[in-house]
């Protein structure tokens, strides 16, 4: 049996570091090849929805960061996975 650990994805912090609106951030990710709808990105940004490990890896590659730099285990709340 696999135990799932809730994790918060630090997209909002990265987006704010880059001084981007959510729409601009969505466009940037799209240009880098990440396929995600704006509503789903918004939910992940706000911590309402999670993302699959492959999707988090896509974010990391698009943002040129190590995967683990996007993960925060300290403030995680259980959330619904999203693709």
């Amino acid at each position: 049996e696999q135990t799932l650990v809730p994790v918060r994805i630090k997209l909002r912090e990265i987006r704010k570091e880059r001084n981007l609106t959510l729409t601009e951030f969505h466009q940037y990710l799209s240009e880098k090849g990440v396929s995600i709808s704006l509503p789903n990105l918004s939910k992940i940004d706000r911590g309402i929805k999670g993302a699959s490990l492959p999707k988090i890896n896509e974010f990391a590659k698009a943002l040129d960061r190590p995967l683990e730099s996007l993960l925060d285990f300290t403030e995680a709340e259980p959330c619904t996975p999203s693709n």
Side-chain angles (χ1 to χ4, degrees), residues 22-75:
L22 187 63
T23 302
E24 291 168 338
F25 192 53
H26 178 257
Q27 182 177 352
Y28 173 84
L29 291 173
S30 294
E31 289 171 0
K32 293 287 189 169
V34 178
S35 176
I36 188 165
S37 70
L38 184 57
N40 276 341
L41 181 60
S42 175
K43 289 174 185 173
I44 294 169
D45 184 77
R46 292 180 286 144
I48 294 171
K49 236 179 187 182
S52 66
L53 192 54
K55 185 59 71 180
I56 298 169
N57 196 43
E58 283 184 48
F59 292 142
K61 286 181 181 180
L63 297 167
D64 197 28
R65 291 182 173 232
L67 179 111
E68 54 275 356
S69 74
L70 272 65
L71 307 177
D72 180 0
F73 293 95
T74 60
E75 299 178 28

